[in-house]
Amino acid sequence: MVDLAGSRHALPYVLNLSLVFTELPLLDRAEAARAAGFTAVEYWWPFEAPVPDAAEADAFVASVERAGVAVTGLNFFPGDMAGGDRGLVTWPGREDEFARGLASAIELGERLGCRRFNALYGNRIDGADPAGQDKLGLSNLALASDAAAGIGAEVVLEPLSGADKYPLKTADDVLKVLDELGRDNVKLLADLYHLAVNGDDLDTVTTVHTGRIGHVQIADSPGRHQPGTGTLDIEGYLEKLQTAGYRGQVGVEYKPDGPSADSLSWLPFERRGLA
């Protein structure tokens, strides 16, 4: 039995390997996570293209299987993240690219046993009608919902900070989209860091909207580093989520302040393998 003394909640953690252990090559990160005590990991889209070649996908799957960890979350292809893109869901003219990326992610998720997919909504595009973008977004999210349902999976939609043209800033922004969409397997991704930076009411998010949350991610604020480097009461909010009925996982998604392995000292080793 795992000793939870000193922790204010019993929610399981998964390690995001698109931000943690990035000092290592992609294919070495799952083994590093397992050596650090984690039994489950998540990734953004781990390839540069919406559809990786077969050898690239096979190597990625093999790296996960070799490490013996579960992959519990993947992003759909978001476009050029380094260049400022934040998803293709609402991007006019890239519908085919979104569809190909969606099919590729579902195929990869099926191979890995992954049943949660993050669909970044997309920036406002200069010259495009925002209402038209939102209409396209509902169409693409419906496609994603159907595809995910085909393998018993769900889709999550995320507010973001630090992206001026990304229209979903708060939990309410996402919930309005979900209300219009009306799909049970499309839920809110509550990233406590992004919500805090955007000035959202985390007490409401963690106590009132709990039933609509499909996943939670954490980083401290300010800085987006590991818990304890900022002022955000992460443990307190996770406790509130659990009390309100959340029984999902917590994605450890921060930029390590220092070497990745050292940055995990806030989380006791015995708490890392519960997922």
Side-chain angles (χ1 to χ4, degrees):
M1 183 174 181
V2 175
D3 182 9
L4 297 178
S7 178
R8 295 163 62 180
H9 67 90
L11 297 175
Y13 292 96
V14 302
L15 191 64
N16 188 293
L17 294 180
S18 292
L19 279 186
V20 184
F21 284 118
T22 56
E23 62 265 54
L24 299 176
L26 175 69
L27 300 185
D28 293 339
R29 295 177 197 170
E31 287 187 295
R34 189 67 188 91
F38 290 90
T39 57
V41 299
E42 62 186 18
Y43 296 84
W44 299 349
W45 185 239
F47 310 108
E48 293 184 0
V51 181
D53 63 47
E56 192 178 14
D58 289 346
F60 178 73
V61 171
S63 76
V64 170
E65 292 176 341
R66 183 169 60 248
V69 295
V71 175
T72 59
L74 287 170
N75 284 21
F76 294 134
F77 175 69
D80 179 10
M81 287 280 285
D85 295 350
R86 291 296 183 270
L88 304 185
V89 170
T90 59
W91 196 322
R94 299 184 75 172
E95 293 88 346
D96 180 66
E97 192 175 2
F98 173 79
R100 290 187 294 112
L102 169 62
S104 182
I106 295 295
E107 179 183 357
L108 184 64
E110 190 166 23
R111 291 180 66 182
L112 292 168
C114 176
R115 295 298 181 264
R116 182 172 57 246
F117 299 91
N118 184 13
L120 294 183
Y121 194 66
N123 295 329
R124 291 305 191 204
I125 305 301
D126 292 342
D129 173 35
Q133 285 195 255
D134 291 338
K135 183 177 180 180
L136 174 61
L138 291 175
S139 176
N140 278 334
L141 287 172
L143 288 176
S145 171
D146 289 342
I151 63 168
E154 68 180 18
V155 176
V156 289
L157 190 62
E158 179 179 18
L160 293 181
S161 63
D164 292 342
K165 294 184 178 181
Y166 190 89
L168 306 183
K169 308 292 188 186
T170 67
D172 281 343
D173 291 338
V174 169
L175 294 178
K176 289 175 184 177
V177 176
L178 300 188
D179 286 342
E180 193 164 359
L181 180 66
R183 297 295 185 98
D184 290 340
N185 71 331
V186 185
K187 299 179 181 179
L188 167 67
L189 195 169
D191 185 311
L192 301 186
Y193 167 78
H194 287 307
L195 294 172
V197 170
N198 288 341
D200 208 352
D201 183 351
L202 291 186
D203 288 317
T204 298
V205 173
T206 54
T207 59
V208 176
H209 298 320
T210 313
R212 306 193 69 181
I213 294 174
H215 189 43
V216 172
Q217 291 176 331
I218 59 168
D220 214 336
S221 174
R224 203 180 185 181
H225 302 309
Q226 60 266 30
T229 57
T231 60
L232 196 60
D233 182 16
I234 295 173
E235 278 276 306
Y237 288 121
L238 295 179
E239 180 184 28
K240 289 179 180 181
L241 279 162
Q242 179 175 279
T243 299
Y246 180 72
R247 295 296 182 267
Q249 298 165 326
V250 178
V252 177
E253 192 201 41
Y254 60 72
K255 299 175 182 178
D257 183 12
S260 290
D262 293 347
S263 79
L264 292 165
S265 62
W266 62 274
L267 183 61
F269 192 88
E270 62 271 15
R271 290 283 285 122
R272 302 176 189 179
L274 298 182

